Amino acid sequence: MKDSSGQETSLRRLVLDRAAAGLPDFAVMTGSELSVDSALNFGVDGVVPGLGNVDPAGYVRIFSAVAGGDLAVARSEQDRLFRLFDIVEVADRGRMGASSAALGAFKAALYLLGVIACPLTAYPSIPLDDDEIGRIRVLLGGAGLL
């Protein structure tokens, strides 16, 4: 079960209900990029974050830190990724909706990191412009990725 609602209370309820039902093999995952450290700490099995395409190593560091009991390291890494997630706010929302903004940001980041050759999104998504891609570059630099 993957919960991408961003509602930590509903996610925690899923973990508690799984335990109460005696279903230890029923995996509960979070899709929320912004609270992975706490979700793992209260019993979520894993994470499927869109931002993980941009910085998979960051999410591995959170998972490893929580598994090792080092919650301070997990929180520090989560805080860095929280700031990096600002890339989804770069696009001009007068030109595009939230989905195009997020997908465009992830593709632009992957382009700037050299993972893909072109930052364009497929129709009907609206691609980011050069100015927006430049602002993504600044955020990647601030996150230590460039």
Side-chain angles (χ1 to χ4, degrees), residues 15 18 24-30 39-40 43-47 63:
V15 170
R18 172 186 60 183
D25 295 329
F26 184 83
V28 177
M29 311 286 274
T30 182
L40 289 169
V44 167
D45 299 298
V47 57
F63 191 90

Side-chain angles (χ1 to χ4, degrees), residues 1 45 52 129 145:
M1 162 72 184
D45 299 298
D129 63 27
L145 296 176

Side-chain angles (χ1 to χ4, degrees), residues 107-123:
K107 286 201 78 165
L110 291 170
Y111 167 74
L112 292 167
L113 292 170
V115 175
I116 60 175
C118 177
L120 296 179
T121 52
Y123 181 82

